[in-house]
Structures are given as C-alpha cells and as structure tokens.
Amino acid sequence: MKKKHLAMILSNLKGFKNPKPELEQYKTPGDVASELLWLAYTLGEVKDKVIADLGAGTGVLSIGASLMGAKKVYAIDKDGNALKIAMENAKTLEIANINFIEGDVSEFNVKVDTVVMNPPFGSQTPKADRPFLLKAFEISNVVYSIHLAKSEVRKFIEAFIRDNGFKTTHRMTLPFEIPAQFFFHKKKLERILVDIYRFERE
C-alpha cells in the first residue's frame, strides 16, 4: 500500500461524535498518521509486529497499523464511546486483529514490539502526555509519538526521555489540522505544527 493511499483511507474514517475537550479528543489527520506509520513500517516495526496504540480514540493509528501488516494491535482508550466508533471503523474495513480495550492506559501491562500514539498535547490539562509516555516506555523498546512542535515541548521531551532511558532517533515536523469543534475554537480550521518522534531504549 502506498503512503498516499493509506492517508486517504485513514482520512475517511469516522471521527468523534461528541469530542471531550478535557481529553483533547481530536481525530489524528490521515496524512499525519500515515507519515508516522510509514516511518515505522520502513524501519521494520509494524509488519508482523504486536502494536499498542495508547489513547487510541477512533482508531486511526490502530487501523493504519493493521492495514500495514501488524500481527496484532491493542487499542486502549478510557472513552467507551470513542472505542465504539473505532470498532465501527475497523468493521467497515473488515479488520479483525485489533483488540479494543476500554480503560486507562496506566492499567495496560502487555509488553509489545512497538507503541504508536497521539497523546494529549497538554493544552487543556498540563502534563497530560506524561502518563502515556511513561506507559509506552514501560511496555516497549520502540515508541512513535506525536507532540507539539514548540521549543519548550522539545526541551521537555528530550529531558523526559533521557531520564527514562530513551533517546530520539527520528523527528519529523508536519502541519496538523484541527477543525473547529469546541466552544473556544476561534477559526473553522486551526493549523498547528507537530513533531512525530521515534524513541528507542538506550
């Protein structure tokens, strides 16, 4: 499958019906998800691997990993309504190797080959991304994650991963489109910059 084709499929998946601002629920854009998954795929970290998607939401990264040949995917999210949409999305594409788990990511304790995730940016709840990073570092040696492309975030990320025995091997900066969906959104479409990281255990 070509990256462009993957991006199109992921862009057409159903998003959140009633997104919760406190959980920073935004559908991961198809082009951003496909860039992350394509990088992981080219490095041999998706095909025939066991993947965990922490904070899976409506299943964009989980479904993308499955389409790229993952052996098994764990999609973990504490919002049951989001997971229902993720299940519908998977069913539409006849995907059967995703294990949907409703619960807090901190309670997930299965060791996996690769973690893929788009954690909360911490815009509404400061430090909201930390539990996701800590869990990712606990269950895998390789982690792909999306964070805001800001100098203060980059400084925090580098210090945080170093303190947890990881290093950054790749970082790609991409535009990330957020359609207006919450009362505090001033524009119809907000464009921000994000960094896609690949972290590896030292």
Side-chain angles (χ1 to χ4, degrees):
M1 185 184 295
K2 291 184 177 171
K3 183 164 58 172
K4 198 174 176 183
H5 186 211
L6 179 66
M8 261 170 50
I9 292 171
L10 299 181
S11 294
N12 288 328
L13 295 175
K14 287 182 190 170
F16 295 95
K17 277 181 190 160
N18 297 299
K20 298 180 175 69
E22 68 276 13
L23 297 180
E24 296 187 42
Q25 289 180 326
Y26 305 104
K27 184 185 165 198
T28 307
D31 56 343
V32 175
S34 67
E35 286 289 351
L36 182 154
L37 291 162
W38 199 260
L39 174 61
Y41 179 81
T42 56
L43 293 172
E45 290 164 346
V46 176
K47 189 171 168 55
D48 299 325
K49 302 293 184 186
V50 178
I51 312 279
D53 178 4
L54 304 180
T58 58
V60 175
L61 289 172
S62 297
I63 287 166
S66 179
L67 291 171
M68 297 299 281
K71 181 164 71 175
K72 184 174 188 176
V73 182
Y74 293 98
I76 305 102
D77 203 288
K78 65 181 180 183
D79 184 350
N81 291 327
L83 282 181
K84 275 182 194 164
I85 297 166
M87 288 176 200
E88 284 173 33
N89 282 330
K91 194 176 176 184
T92 302
L93 293 169
E94 298 179 350
I95 289 169
N97 67 336
I98 302 176
N99 189 354
F100 295 97
I101 300 167
E102 186 178 345
D104 198 282
V105 294
S106 61
E107 293 160 10
F108 180 73
N109 290 310
V110 179
K111 290 279 192 285
V112 299
D113 298 308
T114 311
V115 169
V116 297
M117 61 180 186
N118 178 19
F121 293 144
S123 306
Q124 301 304 314
T125 308
K127 303 177 185 176
D129 53 350
R130 291 187 191 191
F132 290 82
L133 286 165
L134 286 171
K135 179 52 66 175
F137 296 158
E138 186 188 308
I139 62 171
S140 186
N141 295 326
V142 177
V143 177
Y144 291 83
S145 191
I146 302 170
H147 299 271
L148 286 176
K150 289 183 174 179
S151 58
E152 63 269 28
V153 176
R154 287 173 177 171
K155 279 179 192 165
F156 156 71
I157 292 284
E158 289 309 324
F160 192 78
I161 66 161
R162 193 170 57 243
D163 290 346
N164 285 279
F166 276 72
K167 65 180 179 183
T168 300
T169 62
H170 296 71
R171 190 182 79 199
M172 281 190 292
T173 305
L174 294 172
F176 186 111
E177 294 188 344
I178 299 173
Q181 57 183 27
F182 297 131
F183 65 92
F184 50 80
H185 285 151
K186 304 281 191 289
K187 299 177 186 172
K188 281 185 181 174
L189 190 70
E190 189 75 51
R191 281 188 183 85
I192 60 172
L193 287 177
V194 297
D195 288 328
I196 293 173
Y197 287 91
R198 180 187 180 272
F199 305 128
E200 179 182 284
R201 195 179 301 280
E202 289 269 33

Short mmCIF file of all heavy atoms in Angstrom, two decimals, residues 37 41 62 75 85 91 110 126 135 138 146 200:
data_model
loop_
_atom_site.label_atom_id
_atom_site.label_comp_id
_atom_site.label_asym_id
_atom_site.label_seq_id
_atom_site.Cartn_x
_atom_site.Cartn_y
_atom_site.Cartn_z
N LEU A 37 3.15 6.02 10.58
CA LEU A 37 3.09 4.57 10.31
C LEU A 37 4.06 4.16 9.20
O LEU A 37 4.65 3.09 9.26
CB LEU A 37 1.66 4.17 9.95
CG LEU A 37 0.67 4.26 11.13
CD1 LEU A 37 -0.76 4.29 10.61
CD2 LEU A 37 0.88 3.13 12.10
N TYR A 41 6.91 1.48 9.50
CA TYR A 41 6.88 0.35 8.56
C TYR A 41 8.24 0.18 7.86
O TYR A 41 8.77 -0.93 7.75
CB TYR A 41 5.77 0.56 7.54
CG TYR A 41 5.67 -0.53 6.49
CD1 TYR A 41 5.01 -1.73 6.78
CD2 TYR A 41 6.24 -0.37 5.23
CE1 TYR A 41 4.92 -2.74 5.83
CE2 TYR A 41 6.16 -1.37 4.28
CZ TYR A 41 5.50 -2.56 4.59
OH TYR A 41 5.43 -3.55 3.65
N SER A 62 -4.39 2.66 15.09
CA SER A 62 -4.59 1.20 15.23
C SER A 62 -4.94 0.58 13.89
O SER A 62 -4.37 -0.44 13.48
CB SER A 62 -5.72 0.91 16.22
OG SER A 62 -5.42 1.36 17.50
N ALA A 75 -5.73 -1.53 21.07
CA ALA A 75 -6.21 -0.14 21.02
C ALA A 75 -6.80 0.19 22.38
O ALA A 75 -7.86 -0.32 22.74
CB ALA A 75 -7.25 0.02 19.92
N ILE A 85 -16.76 3.87 18.03
CA ILE A 85 -16.53 4.41 16.69
C ILE A 85 -15.32 3.71 16.06
O ILE A 85 -15.34 3.36 14.88
CB ILE A 85 -16.32 5.94 16.73
CG1 ILE A 85 -17.60 6.62 17.25
CG2 ILE A 85 -15.95 6.49 15.35
CD1 ILE A 85 -17.42 8.07 17.64
N LYS A 91 -14.61 -2.44 11.53
CA LYS A 91 -15.57 -3.37 10.91
C LYS A 91 -15.80 -3.00 9.45
O LYS A 91 -15.88 -3.87 8.57
CB LYS A 91 -16.89 -3.32 11.69
CG LYS A 91 -17.84 -4.46 11.36
CD LYS A 91 -19.07 -4.41 12.24
CE LYS A 91 -20.05 -5.49 11.85
NZ LYS A 91 -21.31 -5.39 12.63
N VAL A 110 0.69 -5.11 28.91
CA VAL A 110 1.17 -6.12 27.96
C VAL A 110 2.42 -5.58 27.26
O VAL A 110 2.42 -4.45 26.75
CB VAL A 110 0.08 -6.45 26.91
CG1 VAL A 110 0.60 -7.48 25.91
CG2 VAL A 110 -1.17 -6.96 27.59
N PRO A 126 -2.37 20.39 31.83
CA PRO A 126 -0.91 20.35 31.78
C PRO A 126 -0.36 18.96 32.15
O PRO A 126 -0.91 18.29 33.02
CB PRO A 126 -0.48 21.41 32.81
CG PRO A 126 -1.64 22.35 32.88
CD PRO A 126 -2.86 21.50 32.66
N LYS A 135 3.99 4.96 30.29
CA LYS A 135 3.47 3.62 29.98
C LYS A 135 4.13 3.07 28.72
O LYS A 135 4.52 1.90 28.68
CB LYS A 135 1.94 3.66 29.81
CG LYS A 135 1.30 2.33 29.46
CD LYS A 135 1.69 1.20 30.43
CE LYS A 135 1.17 1.40 31.83
NZ LYS A 135 1.48 0.21 32.69
N GLU A 138 7.45 1.77 29.45
CA GLU A 138 7.38 0.56 30.29
C GLU A 138 7.12 -0.69 29.45
O GLU A 138 7.64 -1.77 29.75
CB GLU A 138 6.24 0.75 31.31
CG GLU A 138 6.10 -0.32 32.35
CD GLU A 138 4.82 -0.10 33.16
OE1 GLU A 138 4.60 1.01 33.68
OE2 GLU A 138 4.03 -1.05 33.25
N ILE A 146 3.35 11.65 18.88
CA ILE A 146 3.12 12.97 18.27
C ILE A 146 3.01 14.02 19.37
O ILE A 146 2.25 13.85 20.33
CB ILE A 146 1.82 12.95 17.42
CG1 ILE A 146 1.91 11.87 16.34
CG2 ILE A 146 1.57 14.32 16.80
CD1 ILE A 146 0.59 11.61 15.61
N GLU A 200 13.77 5.33 21.19
CA GLU A 200 14.32 3.98 21.30
C GLU A 200 15.03 3.85 22.65
O GLU A 200 15.70 4.79 23.09
CB GLU A 200 15.31 3.80 20.15
CG GLU A 200 16.01 2.48 20.08
CD GLU A 200 17.00 2.48 18.90
OE1 GLU A 200 16.54 2.35 17.74
OE2 GLU A 200 18.21 2.64 19.14
#
